[in-house]
Amino acid sequence: MSYIRIVMLYMVLFSFVSGCSTDDDAEEAAWLHGVWQLSYNPDNDDEDELVFKPDGQLVILTQHGQIQGEYALDGDLLRMLVKVNARPVITEFKLSPNKDKLIFENGAEYSRRVP
């Protein structure tokens, strides 16, 4: 990948991350804060849990440890930015109409974990 493309990619990622955590965003996303677990798993993927914090931070709890990242809401989309093997990865989920499910592109669904 050329240097210019790398710089442009990081500029896009920086603008994504810089918009992740304002006070208004935290209030708007209050319904999201907490732990979400895989509730429908059509591809038998790993049973990761997603932890959304009020400051725009995200923790993915995997079988092999934790992955730190950031998230942002954009209409009916949830965008997450994490680093995997030192590479930035953006993942999107569609929000269900009543915001009780996060739906991945393969149809997998996450639901809020009941305490």
Side-chain angles (χ1 to χ4, degrees):
M1 187 180 294
S2 74
Y3 176 75
I4 293 174
R5 289 182 68 192
I6 291 171
V7 170
M8 288 176 58
L9 174 65
Y10 278 103
M11 288 175 58
V12 168
L13 293 175
F14 177 77
S15 66
F16 169 83
V17 171
S18 67
C20 286
S21 61
T22 66
D23 289 340
D24 290 340
D25 291 339
E27 287 179 27
E28 178 184 327
W31 62 270
L32 181 64
H33 302 154
V35 180
W36 291 70
Q37 63 189 16
L38 199 56
S39 56
Y40 177 65
N41 192 358
D43 292 343
N44 294 319
D45 292 327
D46 292 344
E47 299 279 333
D48 299 341
E49 290 186 327
L50 311 174
V51 182
F52 297 97
K53 300 179 179 183
D55 64 356
Q57 297 298 303
L58 161 73
V59 178
I60 302 174
L61 305 173
T62 74
Q63 296 173 341
H64 308 288
Q66 297 182 3
I67 300 171
Q68 305 290 323
E70 300 182 13
Y71 70 89
L73 293 171
D74 183 12
D76 67 345
L77 289 178
L78 166 68
R79 291 194 174 100
M80 302 182 335
L81 171 64
V82 298
K83 279 192 176 179
V84 177
N85 298 324
R87 294 187 142 179
V89 175
I90 295 176
T91 303
E92 290 185 347
F93 286 85
K94 186 167 173 60
L95 307 177
S96 66
N98 58 357
K99 298 180 181 175
D100 65 340
K101 300 225 183 305
L102 308 176
I103 306 162
F104 192 57
E105 63 188 21
N106 70 354
E109 297 178 355
Y110 285 79
S111 301
R112 178 177 288 285
R113 185 172 73 189
V114 178

mmCIF file of all heavy atoms in Angstrom, residues 48-90:
data_model
loop_
_atom_site.group_PDB
_atom_site.id
_atom_site.type_symbol
_atom_site.label_atom_id
_atom_site.label_comp_id
_atom_site.label_asym_id
_atom_site.label_seq_id
_atom_site.Cartn_x
_atom_site.Cartn_y
_atom_site.Cartn_z
ATOM 1 N N ASP A 48 -18.015 -14.292 21.563
ATOM 2 C CA ASP A 48 -17.478 -13.057 22.122
ATOM 3 C C ASP A 48 -18.582 -12.244 22.794
ATOM 4 O O ASP A 48 -19.755 -12.349 22.431
ATOM 5 C CB ASP A 48 -16.848 -12.198 21.029
ATOM 6 C CG ASP A 48 -15.682 -12.873 20.332
ATOM 7 O OD1 ASP A 48 -15.125 -13.832 20.892
ATOM 8 O OD2 ASP A 48 -15.330 -12.425 19.237
ATOM 9 N N GLU A 49 -18.187 -11.432 23.762
ATOM 10 C CA GLU A 49 -19.101 -10.462 24.368
ATOM 11 C C GLU A 49 -18.567 -9.067 24.081
ATOM 12 O O GLU A 49 -17.351 -8.855 24.010
ATOM 13 C CB GLU A 49 -19.214 -10.679 25.877
ATOM 14 C CG GLU A 49 -19.956 -11.944 26.239
ATOM 15 C CD GLU A 49 -20.195 -12.075 27.733
ATOM 16 O OE1 GLU A 49 -19.354 -11.615 28.538
ATOM 17 O OE2 GLU A 49 -21.237 -12.638 28.090
ATOM 18 N N LEU A 50 -19.483 -8.128 23.896
ATOM 19 C CA LEU A 50 -19.141 -6.741 23.610
ATOM 20 C C LEU A 50 -19.501 -5.896 24.810
ATOM 21 O O LEU A 50 -20.626 -5.963 25.301
ATOM 22 C CB LEU A 50 -19.907 -6.251 22.381
ATOM 23 C CG LEU A 50 -19.864 -7.143 21.144
ATOM 24 C CD1 LEU A 50 -20.785 -6.594 20.063
ATOM 25 C CD2 LEU A 50 -18.439 -7.268 20.627
ATOM 26 N N VAL A 51 -18.566 -5.073 25.284
ATOM 27 C CA VAL A 51 -18.807 -4.195 26.426
ATOM 28 C C VAL A 51 -18.681 -2.761 25.942
ATOM 29 O O VAL A 51 -17.599 -2.330 25.514
ATOM 30 C CB VAL A 51 -17.804 -4.459 27.571
ATOM 31 C CG1 VAL A 51 -18.113 -3.568 28.761
ATOM 32 C CG2 VAL A 51 -17.808 -5.930 27.968
ATOM 33 N N PHE A 52 -19.788 -2.013 26.000
ATOM 34 C CA PHE A 52 -19.822 -0.625 25.555
ATOM 35 C C PHE A 52 -19.814 0.293 26.769
ATOM 36 O O PHE A 52 -20.643 0.157 27.666
ATOM 37 C CB PHE A 52 -21.076 -0.367 24.708
ATOM 38 C CG PHE A 52 -21.097 -1.184 23.452
ATOM 39 C CD1 PHE A 52 -21.804 -2.375 23.388
ATOM 40 C CD2 PHE A 52 -20.400 -0.779 22.324
ATOM 41 C CE1 PHE A 52 -21.824 -3.139 22.240
ATOM 42 C CE2 PHE A 52 -20.407 -1.531 21.162
ATOM 43 C CZ PHE A 52 -21.124 -2.716 21.125
ATOM 44 N N LYS A 53 -18.864 1.240 26.780
ATOM 45 C CA LYS A 53 -18.709 2.165 27.901
ATOM 46 C C LYS A 53 -19.214 3.549 27.498
ATOM 47 O O LYS A 53 -19.204 3.905 26.315
ATOM 48 C CB LYS A 53 -17.244 2.218 28.316
ATOM 49 C CG LYS A 53 -16.715 0.859 28.762
ATOM 50 C CD LYS A 53 -15.260 0.944 29.143
ATOM 51 C CE LYS A 53 -14.749 -0.408 29.599
ATOM 52 N NZ LYS A 53 -13.361 -0.323 30.039
ATOM 53 N N PRO A 54 -19.643 4.357 28.478
ATOM 54 C CA PRO A 54 -20.185 5.683 28.163
ATOM 55 C C PRO A 54 -19.200 6.632 27.481
ATOM 56 O O PRO A 54 -19.611 7.555 26.793
ATOM 57 C CB PRO A 54 -20.592 6.241 29.535
ATOM 58 C CG PRO A 54 -20.783 5.043 30.392
ATOM 59 C CD PRO A 54 -19.811 4.015 29.886
ATOM 60 N N ASP A 55 -17.901 6.405 27.633
ATOM 61 C CA ASP A 55 -16.908 7.308 27.042
ATOM 62 C C ASP A 55 -16.562 6.966 25.595
ATOM 63 O O ASP A 55 -15.602 7.484 25.039
ATOM 64 C CB ASP A 55 -15.643 7.334 27.903
ATOM 65 C CG ASP A 55 -14.929 5.983 27.972
ATOM 66 O OD1 ASP A 55 -15.458 4.991 27.417
ATOM 67 O OD2 ASP A 55 -13.852 5.929 28.597
ATOM 68 N N GLY A 56 -17.335 6.071 24.964
ATOM 69 C CA GLY A 56 -17.080 5.709 23.576
ATOM 70 C C GLY A 56 -16.084 4.572 23.415
ATOM 71 O O GLY A 56 -15.727 4.208 22.301
ATOM 72 N N GLN A 57 -15.646 4.025 24.541
ATOM 73 C CA GLN A 57 -14.699 2.912 24.497
ATOM 74 C C GLN A 57 -15.450 1.582 24.429
ATOM 75 O O GLN A 57 -16.568 1.464 24.911
ATOM 76 C CB GLN A 57 -13.798 2.932 25.732
ATOM 77 C CG GLN A 57 -12.929 4.171 25.825
ATOM 78 C CD GLN A 57 -11.969 4.287 24.644
ATOM 79 O OE1 GLN A 57 -11.173 3.394 24.384
ATOM 80 N NE2 GLN A 57 -12.062 5.401 23.928
ATOM 81 N N LEU A 58 -14.795 0.603 23.863
ATOM 82 C CA LEU A 58 -15.360 -0.720 23.639
ATOM 83 C C LEU A 58 -14.334 -1.754 24.084
ATOM 84 O O LEU A 58 -13.132 -1.573 23.875
ATOM 85 C CB LEU A 58 -15.635 -0.884 22.140
ATOM 86 C CG LEU A 58 -15.816 -2.286 21.588
ATOM 87 C CD1 LEU A 58 -17.161 -2.850 22.005
ATOM 88 C CD2 LEU A 58 -15.701 -2.264 20.077
ATOM 89 N N VAL A 59 -14.815 -2.827 24.698
ATOM 90 C CA VAL A 59 -13.970 -3.978 25.004
ATOM 91 C C VAL A 59 -14.671 -5.207 24.441
ATOM 92 O O VAL A 59 -15.853 -5.418 24.690
ATOM 93 C CB VAL A 59 -13.756 -4.159 26.531
ATOM 94 C CG1 VAL A 59 -12.909 -5.396 26.807
ATOM 95 C CG2 VAL A 59 -13.127 -2.926 27.147
ATOM 96 N N ILE A 60 -13.939 -5.988 23.654
ATOM 97 C CA ILE A 60 -14.463 -7.252 23.154
ATOM 98 C C ILE A 60 -13.811 -8.356 23.984
ATOM 99 O O ILE A 60 -12.582 -8.476 24.013
ATOM 100 C CB ILE A 60 -14.156 -7.448 21.657
ATOM 101 C CG1 ILE A 60 -14.754 -6.298 20.837
ATOM 102 C CG2 ILE A 60 -14.692 -8.794 21.175
ATOM 103 C CD1 ILE A 60 -14.388 -6.331 19.367
ATOM 104 N N LEU A 61 -14.639 -9.113 24.676
ATOM 105 C CA LEU A 61 -14.154 -10.220 25.494
ATOM 106 C C LEU A 61 -14.183 -11.480 24.644
ATOM 107 O O LEU A 61 -15.256 -11.930 24.245
ATOM 108 C CB LEU A 61 -15.031 -10.390 26.734
ATOM 109 C CG LEU A 61 -15.199 -9.135 27.606
ATOM 110 C CD1 LEU A 61 -16.230 -9.375 28.699
ATOM 111 C CD2 LEU A 61 -13.863 -8.714 28.191
ATOM 112 N N THR A 62 -13.004 -12.008 24.324
ATOM 113 C CA THR A 62 -12.889 -13.188 23.467
ATOM 114 C C THR A 62 -12.407 -14.371 24.286
ATOM 115 O O THR A 62 -12.028 -14.219 25.447
ATOM 116 C CB THR A 62 -11.906 -12.946 22.305
ATOM 117 O OG1 THR A 62 -10.572 -12.965 22.812
ATOM 118 C CG2 THR A 62 -12.176 -11.627 21.589
ATOM 119 N N GLN A 63 -12.369 -15.517 23.669
ATOM 120 C CA GLN A 63 -11.842 -16.715 24.323
ATOM 121 C C GLN A 63 -10.348 -16.586 24.595
ATOM 122 O O GLN A 63 -9.807 -17.275 25.445
ATOM 123 C CB GLN A 63 -12.080 -17.948 23.446
ATOM 124 C CG GLN A 63 -13.531 -18.270 23.240
ATOM 125 C CD GLN A 63 -13.727 -19.401 22.228
ATOM 126 O OE1 GLN A 63 -12.842 -19.715 21.444
ATOM 127 N NE2 GLN A 63 -14.908 -19.997 22.257
ATOM 128 N N HIS A 64 -9.680 -15.695 23.876
ATOM 129 C CA HIS A 64 -8.230 -15.555 23.971
ATOM 130 C C HIS A 64 -7.799 -14.274 24.668
ATOM 131 O O HIS A 64 -6.611 -13.968 24.669
ATOM 132 C CB HIS A 64 -7.617 -15.621 22.579
ATOM 133 C CG HIS A 64 -8.057 -16.827 21.806
ATOM 134 N ND1 HIS A 64 -7.629 -18.100 22.097
ATOM 135 C CD2 HIS A 64 -8.913 -16.961 20.778
ATOM 136 C CE1 HIS A 64 -8.191 -18.963 21.287
ATOM 137 N NE2 HIS A 64 -8.985 -18.297 20.459
ATOM 138 N N GLY A 65 -8.725 -13.508 25.220
ATOM 139 C CA GLY A 65 -8.372 -12.263 25.894
ATOM 140 C C GLY A 65 -9.318 -11.141 25.526
ATOM 141 O O GLY A 65 -10.473 -11.373 25.176
ATOM 142 N N GLN A 66 -8.807 -9.922 25.609
ATOM 143 C CA GLN A 66 -9.619 -8.733 25.346
ATOM 144 C C GLN A 66 -9.050 -7.945 24.179
ATOM 145 O O GLN A 66 -7.841 -7.906 23.976
ATOM 146 C CB GLN A 66 -9.651 -7.828 26.567
ATOM 147 C CG GLN A 66 -10.293 -8.435 27.778
ATOM 148 C CD GLN A 66 -10.342 -7.457 28.936
ATOM 149 O OE1 GLN A 66 -9.936 -6.300 28.820
ATOM 150 N NE2 GLN A 66 -10.837 -7.906 30.056
ATOM 151 N N ILE A 67 -9.956 -7.304 23.447
ATOM 152 C CA ILE A 67 -9.578 -6.391 22.375
ATOM 153 C C ILE A 67 -10.199 -5.046 22.721
ATOM 154 O O ILE A 67 -11.397 -4.954 22.981
ATOM 155 C CB ILE A 67 -10.089 -6.879 21.007
ATOM 156 C CG1 ILE A 67 -9.518 -8.253 20.677
ATOM 157 C CG2 ILE A 67 -9.751 -5.870 19.922
ATOM 158 C CD1 ILE A 67 -10.121 -8.903 19.452
ATOM 159 N N GLN A 68 -9.387 -4.010 22.761
ATOM 160 C CA GLN A 68 -9.848 -2.660 23.067
ATOM 161 C C GLN A 68 -10.204 -1.935 21.771
ATOM 162 O O GLN A 68 -9.595 -2.184 20.730
ATOM 163 C CB GLN A 68 -8.749 -1.869 23.789
ATOM 164 C CG GLN A 68 -8.216 -2.532 25.028
ATOM 165 C CD GLN A 68 -9.212 -2.551 26.160
ATOM 166 O OE1 GLN A 68 -9.977 -1.612 26.357
ATOM 167 N NE2 GLN A 68 -9.235 -3.627 26.921
ATOM 168 N N GLY A 69 -11.161 -1.026 21.852
ATOM 169 C CA GLY A 69 -11.527 -0.254 20.682
ATOM 170 C C GLY A 69 -12.422 0.914 21.037
ATOM 171 O O GLY A 69 -12.554 1.277 22.205
ATOM 172 N N GLU A 70 -13.037 1.467 20.032
ATOM 173 C CA GLU A 70 -13.949 2.594 20.180
ATOM 174 C C GLU A 70 -15.169 2.344 19.304
ATOM 175 O O GLU A 70 -15.109 1.567 18.360
ATOM 176 C CB GLU A 70 -13.257 3.895 19.789
ATOM 177 C CG GLU A 70 -12.048 4.167 20.655
ATOM 178 C CD GLU A 70 -11.360 5.468 20.318
ATOM 179 O OE1 GLU A 70 -11.947 6.296 19.588
ATOM 180 O OE2 GLU A 70 -10.238 5.663 20.779
ATOM 181 N N TYR A 71 -16.263 3.019 19.635
ATOM 182 C CA TYR A 71 -17.487 2.850 18.853
ATOM 183 C C TYR A 71 -18.156 4.192 18.634
ATOM 184 O O TYR A 71 -17.889 5.173 19.337
ATOM 185 C CB TYR A 71 -18.453 1.885 19.551
ATOM 186 C CG TYR A 71 -19.079 2.451 20.810
ATOM 187 C CD1 TYR A 71 -20.267 3.173 20.753
ATOM 188 C CD2 TYR A 71 -18.472 2.282 22.037
ATOM 189 C CE1 TYR A 71 -20.827 3.706 21.903
ATOM 190 C CE2 TYR A 71 -19.023 2.803 23.185
ATOM 191 C CZ TYR A 71 -20.204 3.517 23.111
ATOM 192 O OH TYR A 71 -20.752 4.056 24.245
ATOM 193 N N ALA A 72 -19.033 4.218 17.646
ATOM 194 C CA ALA A 72 -19.844 5.399 17.354
ATOM 195 C C ALA A 72 -21.154 4.949 16.729
ATOM 196 O O ALA A 72 -21.194 3.950 16.012
ATOM 197 C CB ALA A 72 -19.109 6.338 16.398
ATOM 198 N N LEU A 73 -22.204 5.678 17.042
ATOM 199 C CA LEU A 73 -23.511 5.435 16.428
ATOM 200 C C LEU A 73 -23.688 6.397 15.267
ATOM 201 O O LEU A 73 -23.317 7.563 15.353
ATOM 202 C CB LEU A 73 -24.631 5.643 17.444
ATOM 203 C CG LEU A 73 -24.674 4.623 18.579
ATOM 204 C CD1 LEU A 73 -25.677 5.058 19.639
ATOM 205 C CD2 LEU A 73 -25.023 3.250 18.036
ATOM 206 N N ASP A 74 -24.275 5.895 14.184
ATOM 207 C CA ASP A 74 -24.551 6.710 13.008
ATOM 208 C C ASP A 74 -25.900 6.269 12.464
ATOM 209 O O ASP A 74 -25.980 5.321 11.683
ATOM 210 C CB ASP A 74 -23.446 6.532 11.981
ATOM 211 C CG ASP A 74 -23.628 7.415 10.755
ATOM 212 O OD1 ASP A 74 -24.477 8.334 10.789
ATOM 213 O OD2 ASP A 74 -22.925 7.181 9.750
ATOM 214 N N GLY A 75 -26.965 6.911 12.925
ATOM 215 C CA GLY A 75 -28.309 6.519 12.511
ATOM 216 C C GLY A 75 -28.618 5.134 13.030
ATOM 217 O O GLY A 75 -28.538 4.881 14.226
ATOM 218 N N ASP A 76 -28.924 4.202 12.121
ATOM 219 C CA ASP A 76 -29.225 2.835 12.550
ATOM 220 C C ASP A 76 -28.013 1.916 12.424
ATOM 221 O O ASP A 76 -28.142 0.703 12.360
ATOM 222 C CB ASP A 76 -30.415 2.269 11.777
ATOM 223 C CG ASP A 76 -30.131 2.048 10.301
ATOM 224 O OD1 ASP A 76 -29.120 2.584 9.800
ATOM 225 O OD2 ASP A 76 -30.902 1.332 9.655
ATOM 226 N N LEU A 77 -26.809 2.520 12.407
ATOM 227 C CA LEU A 77 -25.577 1.748 12.346
ATOM 228 C C LEU A 77 -24.733 1.964 13.601
ATOM 229 O O LEU A 77 -24.670 3.072 14.136
ATOM 230 C CB LEU A 77 -24.730 2.148 11.140
ATOM 231 C CG LEU A 77 -25.237 1.753 9.770
ATOM 232 C CD1 LEU A 77 -24.287 2.290 8.696
ATOM 233 C CD2 LEU A 77 -25.370 0.250 9.644
ATOM 234 N N LEU A 78 -24.075 0.912 14.023
ATOM 235 C CA LEU A 78 -23.084 0.972 15.089
ATOM 236 C C LEU A 78 -21.756 0.639 14.432
ATOM 237 O O LEU A 78 -21.620 -0.418 13.809
ATOM 238 C CB LEU A 78 -23.407 -0.055 16.177
ATOM 239 C CG LEU A 78 -22.299 -0.335 17.184
ATOM 240 C CD1 LEU A 78 -22.048 0.884 18.068
ATOM 241 C CD2 LEU A 78 -22.651 -1.541 18.032
ATOM 242 N N ARG A 79 -20.801 1.552 14.529
ATOM 243 C CA ARG A 79 -19.480 1.325 13.959
ATOM 244 C C ARG A 79 -18.482 1.132 15.093
ATOM 245 O O ARG A 79 -18.474 1.900 16.052
ATOM 246 C CB ARG A 79 -19.057 2.493 13.086
ATOM 247 C CG ARG A 79 -19.879 2.593 11.834
ATOM 248 C CD ARG A 79 -19.253 3.531 10.819
ATOM 249 N NE ARG A 79 -19.994 3.478 9.587
ATOM 250 C CZ ARG A 79 -20.897 4.378 9.221
ATOM 251 N NH1 ARG A 79 -21.160 5.401 9.996
ATOM 252 N NH2 ARG A 79 -21.537 4.247 8.087
ATOM 253 N N MET A 80 -17.651 0.112 14.948
ATOM 254 C CA MET A 80 -16.639 -0.184 15.952
ATOM 255 C C MET A 80 -15.264 -0.160 15.278
ATOM 256 O O MET A 80 -15.108 -0.680 14.167
ATOM 257 C CB MET A 80 -16.882 -1.552 16.581
ATOM 258 C CG MET A 80 -18.238 -1.671 17.215
ATOM 259 S SD MET A 80 -18.638 -3.241 18.038
ATOM 260 C CE MET A 80 -17.631 -4.453 17.285
ATOM 261 N N LEU A 81 -14.295 0.426 15.952
ATOM 262 C CA LEU A 81 -12.925 0.475 15.464
ATOM 263 C C LEU A 81 -12.044 -0.222 16.484
ATOM 264 O O LEU A 81 -12.008 0.172 17.654
ATOM 265 C CB LEU A 81 -12.462 1.916 15.274
ATOM 266 C CG LEU A 81 -10.992 2.131 14.962
ATOM 267 C CD1 LEU A 81 -10.623 1.504 13.627
ATOM 268 C CD2 LEU A 81 -10.659 3.608 14.970
ATOM 269 N N VAL A 82 -11.360 -1.289 16.066
ATOM 270 C CA VAL A 82 -10.435 -2.020 16.923
ATOM 271 C C VAL A 82 -9.150 -2.257 16.138
ATOM 272 O O VAL A 82 -9.125 -2.117 14.919
ATOM 273 C CB VAL A 82 -11.012 -3.377 17.403
ATOM 274 C CG1 VAL A 82 -12.259 -3.173 18.227
ATOM 275 C CG2 VAL A 82 -11.283 -4.304 16.241
ATOM 276 N N LYS A 83 -8.093 -2.636 16.859
ATOM 277 C CA LYS A 83 -6.853 -3.041 16.205
ATOM 278 C C LYS A 83 -6.705 -4.538 16.376
ATOM 279 O O LYS A 83 -6.785 -5.054 17.477
ATOM 280 C CB LYS A 83 -5.658 -2.323 16.813
ATOM 281 C CG LYS A 83 -5.464 -0.938 16.295
ATOM 282 C CD LYS A 83 -4.127 -0.402 16.706
ATOM 283 C CE LYS A 83 -3.925 0.960 16.076
ATOM 284 N NZ LYS A 83 -2.636 1.523 16.466
ATOM 285 N N VAL A 84 -6.488 -5.222 15.271
ATOM 286 C CA VAL A 84 -6.262 -6.663 15.268
ATOM 287 C C VAL A 84 -4.911 -6.889 14.599
ATOM 288 O O VAL A 84 -4.726 -6.489 13.444
ATOM 289 C CB VAL A 84 -7.387 -7.415 14.524
ATOM 290 C CG1 VAL A 84 -7.096 -8.894 14.471
ATOM 291 C CG2 VAL A 84 -8.735 -7.134 15.172
ATOM 292 N N ASN A 85 -3.986 -7.484 15.333
ATOM 293 C CA ASN A 85 -2.623 -7.685 14.829
ATOM 294 C C ASN A 85 -2.026 -6.363 14.337
ATOM 295 O O ASN A 85 -1.446 -6.289 13.264
ATOM 296 C CB ASN A 85 -2.582 -8.736 13.724
ATOM 297 C CG ASN A 85 -3.030 -10.087 14.214
ATOM 298 O OD1 ASN A 85 -2.751 -10.450 15.357
ATOM 299 N ND2 ASN A 85 -3.729 -10.828 13.378
ATOM 300 N N ALA A 86 -2.227 -5.305 15.133
ATOM 301 C CA ALA A 86 -1.696 -3.958 14.867
ATOM 302 C C ALA A 86 -2.322 -3.287 13.642
ATOM 303 O O ALA A 86 -1.844 -2.254 13.193
ATOM 304 C CB ALA A 86 -0.182 -3.980 14.743
ATOM 305 N N ARG A 87 -3.402 -3.849 13.112
ATOM 306 C CA ARG A 87 -4.085 -3.240 11.967
ATOM 307 C C ARG A 87 -5.455 -2.755 12.398
ATOM 308 O O ARG A 87 -6.199 -3.487 13.063
ATOM 309 C CB ARG A 87 -4.257 -4.250 10.844
ATOM 310 C CG ARG A 87 -2.956 -4.670 10.252
ATOM 311 C CD ARG A 87 -3.227 -5.514 9.071
ATOM 312 N NE ARG A 87 -2.226 -5.173 8.087
ATOM 313 C CZ ARG A 87 -2.121 -5.725 6.920
ATOM 314 N NH1 ARG A 87 -2.992 -6.631 6.555
ATOM 315 N NH2 ARG A 87 -1.176 -5.379 6.091
ATOM 316 N N PRO A 88 -5.830 -1.535 12.004
ATOM 317 C CA PRO A 88 -7.163 -1.036 12.345
ATOM 318 C C PRO A 88 -8.246 -1.766 11.554
ATOM 319 O O PRO A 88 -8.100 -2.002 10.358
ATOM 320 C CB PRO A 88 -7.100 0.449 11.965
ATOM 321 C CG PRO A 88 -5.957 0.564 11.017
ATOM 322 C CD PRO A 88 -5.029 -0.579 11.269
ATOM 323 N N VAL A 89 -9.312 -2.148 12.260
ATOM 324 C CA VAL A 89 -10.427 -2.856 11.634
ATOM 325 C C VAL A 89 -11.716 -2.153 12.033
ATOM 326 O O VAL A 89 -11.977 -1.947 13.219
ATOM 327 C CB VAL A 89 -10.484 -4.333 12.095
ATOM 328 C CG1 VAL A 89 -11.709 -5.027 11.528
ATOM 329 C CG2 VAL A 89 -9.216 -5.063 11.714
ATOM 330 N N ILE A 90 -12.517 -1.779 11.049
ATOM 331 C CA ILE A 90 -13.825 -1.179 11.311
ATOM 332 C C ILE A 90 -14.884 -2.242 11.057
ATOM 333 O O ILE A 90 -14.873 -2.911 10.018
ATOM 334 C CB ILE A 90 -14.082 0.041 10.413
ATOM 335 C CG1 ILE A 90 -13.094 1.160 10.748
ATOM 336 C CG2 ILE A 90 -15.517 0.537 10.588
ATOM 337 C CD1 ILE A 90 -13.208 2.368 9.851
#
